[in-house]
Amino acid sequence: MTDLREIASQSKAWPYEEARRLLKRYPQGKPGGVPLVFECGYGPSGLPHIGTFNEVLRTTMVRNAFATLSDAPTRLIEFSDDMDGLRKVPDNVPNQTMLAEHLGKPLSRVPDPFEKYDSFAAHNNAMLREFLDQFGFEYEFISSASKYESGAFDEALKNVLRHYQAIMDIMLPTLRKERAATYSPVLPISEKSGIVLQVPVEVVDADAGLIAFDDEGERVTQSILSGKAKLQWKVDWAMRWVALGVDYEMYGKDLTDSGVQSGKIARVLGGRPPESLIYEMFLDEKGEKISKSKGNGLALEDWLKYGTENSVAFYAYREPKSAKQLHLGVVPKAVDEYFQFRAQWHDQPVEKRLGNPVHHIHNGNVPTGQPPVTFGLLLNLVGVMGAGATEDQVWAYLGNYAEGANAENSPELAELIPIALAYNRDFVAPTLHKRKPEGVEIAALQTLDARLAALPADTSAEDIQNIVYEIGKEGGFENLRDWFKALYETLLGSSAGPRMGSFIALYGIANSRALIAEALA
């Protein structure tokens, strides 16, 4: 551990860089042995998407990195802002007319449009927790509503009232004139309508938690304690940091200015803002920011339908400060790159291992072994087999390539096969279009067929690849790329593809010759 700790203290991998900032904050750990608090926030106004999961994953990686550098205890809180008012009805949920009747009410008090849970927030919270539990995260789930309504935040709320003017002095210069005229750090919840009110308030008695405000033309004096009010979210964020003793929380680039204001408010409240990494946002295939309410994000269950759990983590780890598109088109590459980096990890010296994404995905306990074929090659195989291909048929073809491979001795391959079939059926098959060979391509394919006819059925992928390569060099092509592109377009129906030697060995020489005959017919 000492050697690993020393190497980790110098590693340039971003989780270790983040962990070192925390170590600088508390070189000996928190006073009294209190755990350092890592926090992730979740706004349950829409269904959880992969960006929500990504934040927990990355924070966990920093937490694990900190554990390598320090013996100080830590805890990770997943905090749901379910006291927020429902601002608009999401596009991707049922019972939208019913939801519209509850606009403005705390999400924890809005009925579940799916009719499964006590509230809309409870439904979305459950979806999030189910996935996080499935992935094996260690975390504590905290509901904002439970903290407000139980009185756990009461002292912190009184503290906000005591520093009301100082908070206003921070916030008002950042607001437009119209917004500033009605802004209040405290949002009372109307006892008449149940709506979270956006109205100016007057502090009546900070120590008693009393405020006064106008509710539908009536001046009301009301407590803000025990769930009768919530805070504006920037103030709420700061209050939470102080009340829960949060030491680390990462957030998206779009919240940069908010983080600055919340940090100032946290100091006014007598606390210290947490260390933070500001990450770039995930974008959809159009380059637009993913939004839970728009529903344009990639759902967790969709990635897992067409990719592996480890591939999600791999994609999330890479370059957190760079914007990346997140759509189903990136899934196959992430699946294969995960396995590539995993294979490399076992041959790397320790200092290189600590910079390998899989080290952080598996917290240093990286599995051994590799599937006998890549996911990309599997996709090419099932693409040629057609949308109606079955798992049994795929296993039969795999026998040509990896003798004795079965679900028992190749469990990761067994996981990839149904995923490849689903991805091909839903996304690849509709786009495949084989063209007829032309010009020098015709003679080259005829030569390839003749050369394959002379080979034993068990010829290695490497030997077949060498033959394909030779034909391309001697076939009159301007460059080899044109030859391989012709093979992909005429035999597979796509503009890109695998090493042809590997594909032919997998699909079988006889079957591959049939593809060539079909192309030349």
Side-chain angles (χ1 to χ4, degrees):
M1 172 61 79
T2 302
D3 291 342
L4 180 61
R5 182 165 289 179
E6 178 62 30
I7 295 170
S9 69
Q10 305 298 320
S11 174
K12 293 182 179 180
W14 68 261
Y16 289 115
E17 291 181 337
E18 292 298 293
R20 285 196 292 272
R21 294 201 291 118
L22 267 175
L23 189 62
K24 186 176 180 180
R25 181 181 178 109
Y26 292 115
Q28 306 302 323
K30 265 186 164 178
V34 175
L36 276 74
V37 177
F38 293 75
E39 182 182 57
C40 299
Y42 169 60
S45 58
L47 304 182
H49 62 62
I50 207 165
T52 312
F53 157 75
N54 164 73
E55 197 169 282
V56 183
L57 173 72
R58 286 175 170 169
T59 303
T60 296
M61 289 176 175
V62 177
R63 185 187 182 196
N64 291 338
F66 181 81
T68 303
L69 298 174
S70 172
D71 295 324
T74 63
R75 54 194 288 241
L76 171 59
I77 292 172
E78 175 70 6
F79 192 95
S80 173
D81 290 304
D82 55 4
M83 279 288 282
D84 286 356
L86 178 65
R87 289 187 292 274
K88 63 180 181 178
V89 178
D91 299 331
N92 56 345
V93 298
N95 290 314
Q96 297 199 358
T97 302
M98 178 277 291
L99 282 181
E101 297 173 358
H102 294 276
L103 285 172
K105 295 180 182 179
L107 290 160
S108 58
R109 302 175 192 177
V110 174
D112 176 18
F114 297 90
E115 301 178 347
K116 295 180 180 179
Y117 294 86
D118 293 339
S119 70
F120 190 24
H123 173 271
N124 291 345
N125 288 343
M127 286 192 63
L128 177 71
R129 294 173 70 179
E130 181 180 348
F131 183 81
L132 297 181
D133 291 343
Q134 173 188 337
F135 208 85
F137 287 114
E138 180 188 330
Y139 68 99
E140 302 168 42
F141 183 83
I142 294 180
S143 154
S144 178
S146 69
K147 287 292 185 182
Y148 272 99
E149 293 169 0
S150 69
F153 280 162
D154 281 358
E155 286 304 315
L157 293 173
K158 293 176 186 178
N159 196 32
V160 168
L161 293 187
R162 294 185 189 107
H163 296 89
Y164 190 89
Q165 189 55 51
I167 294 171
M168 291 288 281
D169 291 343
I170 292 170
M171 290 304 305
L172 289 180
T174 70
L175 304 173
R176 297 189 308 273
K177 185 176 179 180
E178 299 79 10
R179 179 78 174 104
T182 61
Y183 179 83
S184 167
V186 180
L187 306 177
I189 298 175
S190 171
E191 293 186 347
K192 296 179 181 180
S193 64
I195 289 175
V196 180
L197 300 177
Q198 300 269 355
V199 294
V201 307
E202 174 189 335
V203 178
V204 174
D205 186 337
D207 291 331
L210 293 177
I211 60 171
F213 56 93
D214 182 90
D215 188 358
E216 298 181 359
E218 178 187 357
R219 180 177 169 81
V220 175
T221 298
Q222 183 175 307
S223 170
I224 68 168
L225 308 180
S226 302
K228 294 182 179 179
K230 74 171 299 291
L231 301 178
Q232 286 279 6
W233 84 267
K234 293 177 187 176
V235 185
D236 187 276
W237 204 11
M239 178 275 292
R240 183 198 317 164
W241 286 344
V242 177
L244 300 178
V246 177
D247 299 295
Y248 187 88
E249 179 166 4
M250 61 176 62
Y251 48 87
K253 185 179 179 181
D254 58 337
L255 298 182
T256 301
D257 290 339
S258 300
V260 171
Q261 305 308 323
S262 294
K264 292 178 180 179
I265 295 168
R267 291 186 179 92
V268 163
L269 296 176
R272 180 182 181 186
E275 304 298 322
S276 59
L277 177 149
I278 300 174
Y279 57 81
E280 269 285 3
M281 309 305 296
F282 278 143
L283 309 174
D284 65 13
E285 61 270 24
K286 298 177 182 177
E288 297 179 357
K289 177 178 174 280
I290 286 175
S291 165
K292 290 191 298 294
S293 58
K294 286 183 182 178
N296 66 330
L298 179 62
L300 303 171
E301 58 269 24
D302 286 341
W303 185 296
L304 293 180
K305 184 177 179 181
Y306 305 113
T308 62
E309 288 185 357
N310 288 325
S311 66
V312 184
F314 178 86
Y315 195 74
Y317 174 87
R318 307 296 298 276
E319 302 171 337
K321 294 183 180 180
S322 298
K324 292 185 290 186
Q325 287 192 329
L326 183 65
H327 52 83
L328 287 172
V330 306
V331 174
K333 184 178 179 182
V335 172
D336 275 337
E337 286 190 339
Y338 160 77
F339 284 115
Q340 291 167 14
F341 277 81
R342 196 174 88 177
Q344 293 169 8
W345 186 90
H346 292 282
D347 296 325
Q348 290 175 324
V350 174
E351 59 271 18
K352 293 288 187 181
R353 285 181 171 183
L354 298 192
N356 188 320
V358 302
H359 182 86
H360 301 276
I361 293 169
H362 297 289
N363 195 22
N365 299 308
V366 180
T368 58
Q370 294 282 304
V373 297
T374 66
F375 188 55
L377 190 55
L378 264 183
L379 285 174
N380 288 120
L381 172 63
V382 299
V384 172
M385 293 173 66
T390 66
E391 290 186 39
D392 287 343
Q393 289 172 333
V394 176
W395 280 113
Y397 277 105
L398 287 169
N400 299 323
Y401 191 83
E403 186 176 352
N406 56 50
E408 185 175 340
N409 60 30
S410 298
E412 289 184 306
L413 180 57
E415 180 186 10
L416 293 178
I417 290 173
I419 290 171
L421 287 169
Y423 193 90
N424 177 71
R425 180 188 66 242
D426 296 344
F427 299 103
V428 179
T431 68
L432 295 180
H433 177 70
K434 297 180 184 179
R435 67 169 176 83
K436 287 294 182 182
E438 53 191 30
V440 296
E441 298 169 353
I442 296 173
L445 283 171
Q446 291 171 336
T447 301
L448 176 59
D449 179 61
R451 295 288 299 274
L452 292 178
L455 296 178
D458 61 353
T459 302
S460 72
E462 195 61 37
D463 287 344
I464 297 173
Q465 180 70 16
N466 289 335
I467 291 171
V468 175
Y469 185 84
E470 289 170 9
I471 293 172
K473 286 184 65 177
E474 299 165 1
F477 294 94
E478 288 189 16
N479 58 64
L480 278 172
R481 284 197 301 270
D482 293 338
W483 166 228
F484 287 108
K485 185 178 180 183
L487 288 169
Y488 300 146
E489 292 176 349
T490 61
L491 303 184
L492 305 182
S494 62
S495 59
R499 282 172 60 88
M500 286 307 298
S502 297
F503 175 78
I504 293 170
L506 173 59
Y507 195 51
I509 289 176
N511 291 322
S512 298
R513 290 189 64 210
L515 280 181
I516 296 171
E518 180 184 330
L520 292 171

